[in-house]
Amino acid sequence: MPPQLKAEVNVMPKVVQGDLQSLPPEARDFIESNAKLCQPESIHICDGSEEENKKILDIMVEQGMIKKLSKYENCWLALTDPRDVARIESKTVIITQEQRDTTPIPKTGTSQLGRWMSEEDFEKAFNTRFPGCMQGRTMYVIPFSMGPIGSPLSKIGIELTDSPYVVASMRIMTRMGTAALKALSNGEFVKCLHSVGCPLPLKDPLINNWPCNPELTLIAHLPDRREIISFGSGYGGNSLLGKKCFALRIASRIAKEEGWLAEHMLILGITNPEGEKKYFAAAFPSACGKTNLAMMNPSLPGWKIECVGDDIAWMKFDEQGNLRAINPENGFFGVAPGTSVKTNPNAIKTIFKNTIFTNVAETSDGGVYWEGIDEPLPPGVTLTSWKNKDWTPDNGEPCAHPNSRFCTPASQCPIVDPAWESPEGVPIEGIIFGGRRPAGVPLIYEAFNWQHGVFIGAAMRSEATAAAEHKGKIIMHDPFAMRPFFGYNFGKYLTHWLSMAHRPAAKLPRIFHVNWFRKDSQGKFLWPGYGENSRVLEWMFNRIEGKASAKPTAIGYIPADAALNLKGLEDVNLTELFDISKEFWEKEVEEIKQYFEVQVNADLPYEIEREMLALEMRIKQL
């Protein structure tokens, strides 16, 4: 671990569950050195059993951290301190010797592609936070596998935490407990240390019985040492260290070294009426309907969609040259607002058992509620908001926090893919990028080739919404939908993606870009979306099969006339949906060019520069 201080009390706390001596030496050293530093009252080595889970939930009920939702089977509600509700990009850092290992050095201003902290500054920050930080609390030891246990694509981690909420959530989100420990044997593991930063006795009373320390929150990644260190926040993205911290930031760095890809992508399987199946991976920024696409009910008769994962994909070429993908997670950590029977019926069928809800509203009959749930409240049923206050629509603020969540087992999804836990992964034949673009960007286009596809991913932009820290609706750059999650220099990340084309025998997936959100001059959506998006997937499917026709444009291939199946759809203005305006794209090119020049600067690969120039030339000729 990082700089170790001589703890004032160099006594090992008692182990209340599990056997420290039976652990591999490196795991034991990791636990013992941090126990001496953080000084918990006791150590509990998690086995992941049902019995243990029940005890953990009982402890949280007793502490007032969660309450049982009587309307559903084994569902729970946590309300956090209002200062601890989301990932905090400004306090999420990567520690490397040189800044340029973490982010490109921007031409002017600060980098938007990650936040670097020097080793010296981190050492100081660590030493002011961790000594004695778990006093009076239990240190839980969570051995976990990202990916199916035993898969050649999976990786093991051990998280030490003083939060029972983290234990219960990690049991849903990862394969956690004894089986993960067995898989570890003497192998490598990612070391994860987390504390809410509230030693007992408390100096200040808790809000909502939710321990956190917002003033000192820090989420740090040490990729050279395969370590993640998080302090002060109990919120999912900052405390469930298997999620974005390990599965994207640390894993993307491991993937670069080992020659694979760790991406912020859903994975879905789509089967046509003839029974032929293909798998796609898709990257979308937040609030672009990623989970909705992963769990879509297709409107096209005879087509079937199945979900492998809704958030993260680890992808590696096999010996035959197929790009194989696993979902490293075991659950869905989804945004609740906007989830309804209309927008995502399969999510609704997944979440009402064995689920932990956080910061949603509660109904007086023991259920949950949020904006966009599209269910009228039964007569006489009242609401308590996420702030634990009586709520009516006149309150002038939402009943559920915009970033409120459900944490639910993936195995409960009614359309979970039969191969979702396949150790060798599923073969990816198409990669989809997308964003929320009210103007200018067509419904669907296809890259000319792999290099052009990597450029399209690098140039992704999307309308930012309330879920992010940024206010107001502005079009933001979000390359590969990874902007907050890159584990190393984005220029080097692009080089890594480009290098996939040079793999011997690699069957490179086709790359597409979609935009479900284009609007007409009245501000109405031009495309119905949701299940109708299956029509766009059908065209992509057939393109891969070599069956669908397309026509080249300045930005890529679009469906040829009548190639997009619109049977049964009325009032779709294809001319407007696929219009490529010279004026719009000249501005777009300028914005992208500027972003690359300032943000990626000297680390921009020449292939991307070449794609940029080629696009500029094609737009000029419109």
Side-chain angles (χ1 to χ4, degrees), residues 86-95 102-103 113-117 217-221 228-230 233 237-238 244-245 249 469 484-486:
R87 279 185 299 102
I88 310 168
E89 285 178 30
S90 54
K91 296 182 176 187
T92 302
V93 298
I94 294 176
I95 291 99
T102 293
T103 65
L113 292 160
R115 193 170 280 264
W116 177 72
M117 185 184 260
T217 294
L218 184 69
I219 301 96
H221 306 72
I228 302 161
I229 291 155
S230 170
S233 169
N238 307 325
K244 308 295 196 200
C245 298
R249 295 190 194 98
E469 277 177 281
F485 310 120
F486 292 118

Side-chain angles (χ1 to χ4, degrees), residues 292-333:
N292 294 351
L293 182 63
M295 299 186 194
M296 184 212 296
N297 269 348
S299 62
L300 286 180
W303 286 79
K304 182 163 74 170
I305 284 178
E306 288 163 303
C307 175
V308 176
D310 79 326
D311 196 36
I312 295 170
W314 287 0
M315 303 186 285
K316 188 177 187 177
F317 284 102
D318 65 14
E319 284 168 11
Q320 287 73 48
N322 299 303
L323 186 61
R324 293 268 171 186
I326 61 167
N327 167 14
E329 298 190 295
N330 194 42
F332 303 124
F333 187 66

Side-chain angles (χ1 to χ4, degrees), residues 137-199:
R137 298 188 181 276
T138 299
M139 174 191 272
Y140 296 99
V141 177
I142 308 173
F144 63 96
S145 175
M146 296 309 289
I149 286 178
S151 160
L153 295 165
S154 296
K155 301 278 176 199
I156 301 288
I158 295 178
E159 175 164 0
L160 311 179
T161 180
D162 52 10
S163 164
Y165 173 86
V166 169
V167 179
S169 303
M170 285 288 282
R171 185 173 183 265
I172 295 170
M173 292 306 299
T174 69
R175 286 98 176 154
M176 178 269 261
T178 309
L181 259 189
K182 280 188 188 143
L184 168 66
S185 63
N186 279 314
E188 287 183 358
F189 62 96
V190 172
K191 301 179 172 90
C192 308
L193 173 63
H194 168 256
S195 173
V196 291
C198 291

Side-chain angles (χ1 to χ4, degrees), residues 22 50 126 142 226 230 270 281 360 365 376 410 462 472-473 488 522 606:
S22 69
E50 192 54 66
F126 184 87
I142 308 173
R226 307 285 193 253
S230 170
I270 178 162
V360 300
D365 61 349
S462 190
K473 301 223 165 176
Y488 62 99
Q522 270 76 57
Y606 78 92

